[in-house]
Amino acid sequence: MADDASALLAAAGVPSDYIVLIPGSAARHEHKRWPGHAELARRLGELGHAVVVAPGPDELELARSLPCHVLTGPDGFLDWFALAGVLRRAAFVVGNDTGPTHLAAALGVPVLALFGSHTPVERTGIRMRGFDAMQVPDLAALPVETVLAEVARRVPKR
C-alpha cells in the first residue's frame, strides 16, 4: 500500500529521522483539530527534529502555516500511497483523530493521537503497540508543553 517515498523526501531535503504532524481532519470536523500543531512544530524544530506535514486537499493552507517541510504532490496533496510511504518511514507521528493518523498506526509507526471529547479513544480500538492516544475534554485547551513532553518520552533526543 505504501509507495517508496525516498525520492519525495530527498527532493524536499527531509532527513531520515523525521517527525510527521497531522494537523488537519475533514473540514466538517474542525472540533477534531488541535490548534497547537504550529507551536509544536516550532518547538520540535528548536530541539533539532525535522518536522514534516503532508496535507490533504482541504488542509493545504493550514499546512503552509506550520514551520516545517510541507510535502505535496502534483494535485497539491499526496495520494494515499505516497502518504503511506511518507508515514511508513517516519520516526514518529503526532496527529488528530483522522484517517492518516489511523493509517500510520496500521503501518506500525509509533504514533500519538490527540482526541477531544468527540469520540472515546476506547471505541476506536486504536491503542496498540507503538500507538497511543491522549484524550482531553477540550482540544483547544491542551497545552503544547503536555504534547511535547509525551513526544519527548517516545522520541530519542537529538
Side-chain angles (χ1 to χ4, degrees), residues 15-99:
S16 61
D17 59 340
Y18 57 91
I19 296 173
V20 174
L21 299 185
I22 302 173
S25 62
R28 67 184 184 278
H29 295 299
E30 288 283 328
H31 59 282
K32 290 185 171 189
R33 291 184 177 187
W34 178 55
H37 283 283
E39 179 67 11
L40 180 63
R42 185 185 68 73
R43 300 274 298 274
L44 288 169
E46 288 173 355
L47 293 171
H49 296 287
V51 180
V52 168
V53 65
D58 61 348
E59 302 162 354
L60 293 167
E61 186 175 323
L62 171 65
R64 290 187 179 115
S65 72
L66 304 180
C68 63
H69 298 275
V70 178
L71 302 179
T72 57
D75 296 322
F77 56 92
L78 300 180
D79 64 31
W80 276 99
F81 304 104
L83 175 61
V86 169
L87 293 172
R88 182 179 64 186
R89 295 175 61 108
F92 196 77
V93 174
V94 178
N96 298 325
D97 173 21
T98 188

Side-chain angles (χ1 to χ4, degrees), residues 133-150:
M134 295 179 73
Q135 182 147 23
V136 295
D138 179 10
L139 279 176
L142 177 60
V144 172
E145 291 76 20
T146 301
V147 176
L148 186 61
E150 287 300 312

